[in-house]
């Protein structure tokens, strides 16, 4: 069976009429009918109800149709991914973890689109682990994540270490403190961490801050993402440790305090295929470093 058999079959099903399907496929009706019969012979199964005026599918035909659609979609995806990997098409597909959206990512994307309008930029929200897989199968070309992951086929550049801060419900006793807080100050509250899956994640970097000091929070509440964590903090359910860039998300019912401890940081890591020497990638890296200079952000 060839892919063309699937395309012909899908066209006939969707048009429910062999003449219209032949028109859509830019071919004559007799060869199309022959191809459909040949497909049924190959499968040893009847796909259409023969005595119906409209072309109707048999049960087998319906099964075959849903799977044929999947195979054709995969074939199209393979074609576009391969084109991207080989750079026939000028494009850059970017994977990112949600929390980078509160940092410089929106500026990076806007600036890249302005400066390189000939490059088609696409965005995919993906965990760091999913980014590694997506890099190897060509779904993305570059990933921005927070977890250091070893893979010989993937190159990693730590762009900067972002300081963690603590989010407290407005009016919390600790929000009056003049000094930066320490992890020890936080052990009497419920700690709200995110994302709860997939792991490891930013949540584990926060927990390591306690573990490395031999401390443990009173209790832990795991949630999906930072916005939910902040909502729960606002509701007085606990406190949360968040990347420093979240500070920009000011809300009246949450106050932020700095944390004392050199190690209380989370890296922003750019990953890409080790074999990728494309111009688009070096443009992206160059643009990020220019932005860091402009914004006076400490970076490596
Ligand atoms: C940043 O916040 O530093 C950043 C985030 C995503 C891409 C590049 C930089």
């Amino acid at each position: 069976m060839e892919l063309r058999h699937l395309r012909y079959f899908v066209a006939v099903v969707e048009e429910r009429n062999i003449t219209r399907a032949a028109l859509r496929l830019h071919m004559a009706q007799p060869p199309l009918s022959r191809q459909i019969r040949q497909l049924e012979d190959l499968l040893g199964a009847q796909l259409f109800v023969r005595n119906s005026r409209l072309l109707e599918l048999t049960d087998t035909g319906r099964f075959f149709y849903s799977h044929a659609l999947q195979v054709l979609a995969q074939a199209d995806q393979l074609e576009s991914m391969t084109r991207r990997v080989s750079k026939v098409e000028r494009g850059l597909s970017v994977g990112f973890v949600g929390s980078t959206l509160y940092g410089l990512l929106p500026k990076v994307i806007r600036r890249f689109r302005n400066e390189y309008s000939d490059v088609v930029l696409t965005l995919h929200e993906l965990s760091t682990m999913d980014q590694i897989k997506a890099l190897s199968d060509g779904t993305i070309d570059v990933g921005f994540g927070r977890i250091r992951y070893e893979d010989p086929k993937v190159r990693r550049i730590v762009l900067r270490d972002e300081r963690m801060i603590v989010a407290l419900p407005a009016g919390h006793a600790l929000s009056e403190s003049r000094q930066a807080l320490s992890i020890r100050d936080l052990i009497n509250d419920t700690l709200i961490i995110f994302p709860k899956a997939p792991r490891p994640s930013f949540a584990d970097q926060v927990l390591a801050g306690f573990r490395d000091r031999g401390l443990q929070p009173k209790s832990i509440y795991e949630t999906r993402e930072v916005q939910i964590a902040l909502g729960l903090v606002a509701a007085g359910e606990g406190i949360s440790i968040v990347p420093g860039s979240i500070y920009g998300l000011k809300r009246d019912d949450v106050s932020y305090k700095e944390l004392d401890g050199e190690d209380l940081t989370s890296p922003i890591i750019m990953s890409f295929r080790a074999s990728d020497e494309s111009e688009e990638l070096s443009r992206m890296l160059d643009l990020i470093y220019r932005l860091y200079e402009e914004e006076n952000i400490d970076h490596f």
Side-chain angles (χ1 to χ4, degrees):
M1 186 173 61
E2 314 273 340
L3 269 186
R4 88 185 127 81
H5 285 118
L6 301 187
R7 293 198 199 284
Y8 294 161
F9 170 72
V10 165
V12 173
V13 175
E14 288 177 353
E15 297 297 336
R16 298 186 80 197
N17 176 298
I18 203 111
T19 314
R20 277 201 304 272
L23 272 174
R24 167 168 150 186
L25 293 164
H26 306 291
M27 64 194 290
Q29 184 187 324
L32 177 58
S33 301
R34 258 199 313 279
Q35 291 287 328
I36 296 293
R37 267 198 308 279
Q38 193 185 65
L39 175 63
E40 289 184 317
D41 288 347
L42 273 165
L43 295 169
Q46 198 171 317
L47 300 172
F48 293 99
V49 180
R50 284 286 179 256
N51 54 5
S52 156
R53 203 169 52 80
L54 280 174
L55 276 175
E56 263 181 55
L57 286 172
T58 58
D59 287 346
T60 311
R62 268 193 292 280
F63 166 84
F64 188 70
Y65 175 61
S66 69
H67 288 272
L69 285 181
Q70 286 172 28
V71 172
L72 289 175
Q74 276 175 1
D76 287 347
Q77 204 184 3
L78 176 64
E79 195 180 314
S80 64
M81 284 183 334
T82 308
R83 224 181 264 129
R84 223 180 18 247
V85 170
S86 74
K87 295 285 176 234
V88 172
E89 214 172 68
R90 287 175 72 80
L92 194 67
S93 183
V94 178
F96 62 93
V97 293
S99 65
T100 56
L101 280 177
Y102 303 102
L104 280 194
L105 185 62
K107 267 193 186 154
V108 168
I109 299 299
R110 261 207 315 272
R111 178 77 78 89
F112 193 94
R113 285 214 165 105
N114 275 341
E115 290 188 16
Y116 308 110
S117 54
D118 57 326
V119 180
V120 180
L121 204 66
T122 45
L123 298 175
H124 306 262
E125 191 205 338
L126 293 170
S127 70
T128 307
M129 296 303 160
D130 287 342
Q131 286 178 24
I132 305 298
K133 186 169 165 295
L135 282 170
S136 84
D137 69 21
T139 315
I140 61 168
D141 303 303
V142 57
F144 295 107
R146 290 191 180 272
I147 305 295
R148 293 182 162 87
Y149 183 81
E150 293 297 338
D151 183 319
K153 294 193 290 306
V154 173
R155 236 192 99 193
R156 255 182 7 203
I157 295 180
V158 178
L159 296 172
R160 65 178 173 116
D161 265 333
E162 190 176 6
R163 289 209 60 77
M164 295 178 183
I165 57 174
V166 57
L168 305 159
H172 189 289
L174 290 174
S175 63
E176 306 304 324
S177 163
R178 299 226 170 170
Q179 294 157 4
L181 299 176
S182 70
I183 289 286
R184 184 173 289 281
D185 295 326
L186 309 180
I187 56 175
N188 296 320
D189 287 89
T190 295
L191 180 70
I192 301 167
I193 56 172
F194 59 90
K196 68 173 166 192
R199 304 294 272 272
S201 71
F202 179 75
D204 299 287
Q205 294 171 348
V206 169
L207 292 175
F210 285 81
R211 213 182 30 248
D212 292 350
R213 290 164 175 77
L215 297 172
Q216 225 183 335
K218 184 179 87 176
S219 59
I220 294 174
Y221 188 110
E222 297 184 327
T223 179
R224 247 180 326 111
E225 47 147 320
V226 62
Q227 287 285 9
I228 298 175
L230 290 178
L232 291 169
V233 169
E237 289 296 296
I239 60 164
S240 188
I241 295 181
V242 298
S245 49
I246 299 291
Y247 187 72
L249 273 186
K250 293 217 169 51
R251 350 181 357 157
D252 294 342
D253 43 12
V254 172
S255 56
Y256 298 101
K257 298 292 297 180
E258 286 189 6
L259 272 174
D260 195 16
E262 286 291 302
D263 59 317
L264 298 176
T265 59
S266 171
I268 295 185
I269 302 169
M270 174 169 164
S271 307
F272 46 93
R273 282 180 292 280
S275 58
D276 191 342
E277 291 179 356
S278 70
E279 211 178 303
E280 285 77 25
L281 260 185
S282 47
R283 284 170 168 183
M284 173 62 87
L285 192 57
D286 173 66
L287 183 154
I288 292 169
Y289 284 135
R290 270 190 284 135
L291 263 176
Y292 283 159
E293 298 298 328
E294 283 171 29
E295 307 257 333
N296 264 323
I297 290 179
D298 269 347
H299 60 88
F300 296 106

